[in-house]
Amino acid sequence: MKMGVSKTKQPLRKRGGKARSEERRFAFLFVMPALLLVVVFRIVPLIWGFVLSLTDARGVTEGAFIGFDNYAELARDPAFHDSMANTILLIATLPIWIMVPMLLAILIHQGVPGGKFYRAVYFFPATLSSVIVGSIFNVLLRNDGQLNQFLELFGIGAIDWLGNSNTALLSLIAVQLWATFGMSLLIFLAGLSTVPSDMIEAAKLEGASMLQTFWHVIIPTLRPIIEFVAVVTTIGVLTNMFGLIYVLTAGGPGTSTTLPEFLIWIELGRMNRPGYAAAISMVLFVLMAGIAYAQVRIMSRNVNV
């Protein structure tokens, strides 16, 4: 009898293993197109860029291999130092980029009057190109612009928002925040729809304040959304501000608003040094990858809040 049972089970195991193997091959066929796109348009250019950063290429001519000389030059380049200092200041403002849309999303989700109208108004700037946004704020922020005219009503003198090195980068950050936070707001609104209403009601019945409900109920539930928005926002602010910089400040005054992505364009387009520009792009890639990894690690910890 034991031998009979083993004989009947063996074919079943074989059939089960064969079915799982067919399922894996079938799933691989679906993954293959996306995998090819990643390899062709992400991995290959990344490898090619690293190889290019090891040369002294100029223009379209192939450069000679110079090892890590470009990276050594970066370590001595004041313009690169300034761009990294500006990047650090930009990264320091990232909590604002997350908190502003999240708080506005919570207010809209709580049913404030005109919530649908505000949702449309907040999202509208995200539909505009950076050139249009830059052109609008070029008019608003100039010395005789509408913002300074408004401040004069309160006895505040005109401020050179874009021409002063102390205010230019902060003005640029504020404009970029205005132009992009609408997308994060919609993501948070979608996340808030997953927060169980009975948990919020239970917190209210237990006497929890709005702040306590926000901190102990909403934040833990939205943690995956916060993590996603943090990573996407980090990548966005480090790689998608070229248009605003070009239109509003052109990296100035001096290098006060120069970020690595704009410096890459200067070295590639103006200085005709693709090898050096590739070295900057490699450093920027490592910086973004490191920040994104750190954010994921921090947000993924099981911390009691």
Side-chain angles (χ1 to χ4, degrees):
M1 290 298 293
K2 292 183 179 179
M3 293 179 63
V5 172
S6 62
K7 288 181 179 180
T8 57
K9 287 185 177 180
Q10 186 68 21
L12 289 175
R13 285 198 294 268
K14 289 184 178 179
R15 287 198 298 269
K18 184 178 180 180
R20 287 193 294 270
S21 179
E22 291 178 352
E23 289 177 358
R24 286 195 292 267
R25 286 197 295 268
F26 191 66
F28 183 73
L29 290 176
F30 279 96
V31 175
M32 178 62 74
L35 184 62
L36 287 175
L37 289 175
V38 171
V39 171
V40 173
F41 294 104
R42 297 291 184 181
I43 306 300
V44 172
L46 183 64
I47 296 174
W48 181 81
F50 176 70
V51 173
L52 182 63
S53 71
L54 303 178
T55 68
D56 61 353
R58 287 184 176 273
V60 296
T61 60
E62 294 184 1
F65 179 79
I66 59 173
F68 291 93
D69 288 358
N70 284 328
Y71 295 93
E73 184 178 348
L74 282 178
R76 303 186 302 266
D77 189 352
F80 178 72
H81 296 168
D82 291 342
S83 70
M84 293 305 295
N86 295 335
T87 301
I88 293 173
L89 178 59
L90 185 63
I91 293 173
T93 65
L94 284 176
I96 301 175
W97 298 69
I98 299 172
M99 292 300 297
V100 168
M102 182 171 63
L103 292 176
L104 291 175
I106 291 173
L107 290 176
I108 293 175
H109 186 262
Q110 293 297 316
V112 296
K116 293 183 178 179
F117 171 76
Y118 290 127
R119 183 185 307 183
V121 169
Y122 292 147
F123 181 72
F124 175 72
T127 64
L128 302 176
S129 70
S130 57
V131 175
I132 294 176
V133 173
S135 300
I136 293 172
F137 280 91
N138 228 336
V139 176
L140 293 176
L141 298 178
R142 63 190 184 188
N143 287 339
D144 59 346
Q146 284 77 5
L147 180 57
N148 279 331
Q149 292 177 11
F150 175 76
L151 293 177
E152 287 178 357
L153 298 177
F154 301 93
I156 301 176
I159 299 175
D160 191 2
W161 297 101
L162 301 175
N164 189 320
S165 58
N166 295 322
T167 58
L169 183 59
L170 295 177
S171 301
L172 200 66
I173 292 172
V175 173
Q176 179 73 356
L177 175 61
W178 175 87
T180 59
F181 82 91
M183 185 62 69
S184 299
L185 183 142
L186 290 185
I187 295 174
F188 278 120
L189 282 174
L192 285 169
S193 63
T194 65
V195 178
S197 57
D198 54 346
M199 292 179 61
I200 298 178
E201 292 298 328
K204 291 180 179 178
L205 291 175
E206 292 180 3
S209 65
M210 182 179 295
L211 181 60
Q212 290 173 327
T213 303
F214 169 77
W215 189 252
H216 294 284
V217 178
I218 296 178
I219 289 294
T221 307
L222 289 182
R223 181 171 294 170
I225 305 297
I226 297 173
E227 176 183 334
F228 173 77
V229 171
V231 174
V232 172
T233 301
T234 300
I235 297 174
V237 298
L238 291 179
T239 60
N240 293 331
M241 290 185 65
F242 175 86
L244 276 184
I245 296 174
Y246 185 84
V247 174
L248 287 177
T249 64
T255 55
S256 60
T257 59
T258 299
L259 295 178
E261 61 169 332
F262 194 78
L263 188 61
I264 292 171
W265 175 79
I266 292 176
E267 294 296 337
L268 181 61
R270 294 183 183 178
M271 308 303 294
N272 204 19
R273 301 179 63 192
Y276 192 65
I280 301 174
S281 67
M282 288 298 103
V283 174
L284 181 60
F285 167 76
V286 172
L287 176 65
M288 289 190 301
I291 294 174
Y293 176 77
Q295 288 177 333
V296 171
R297 292 286 295 177
I298 293 172
M299 297 300 300
S300 298
R301 291 176 181 174
N302 294 322
V303 180
N304 295 324
V305 293

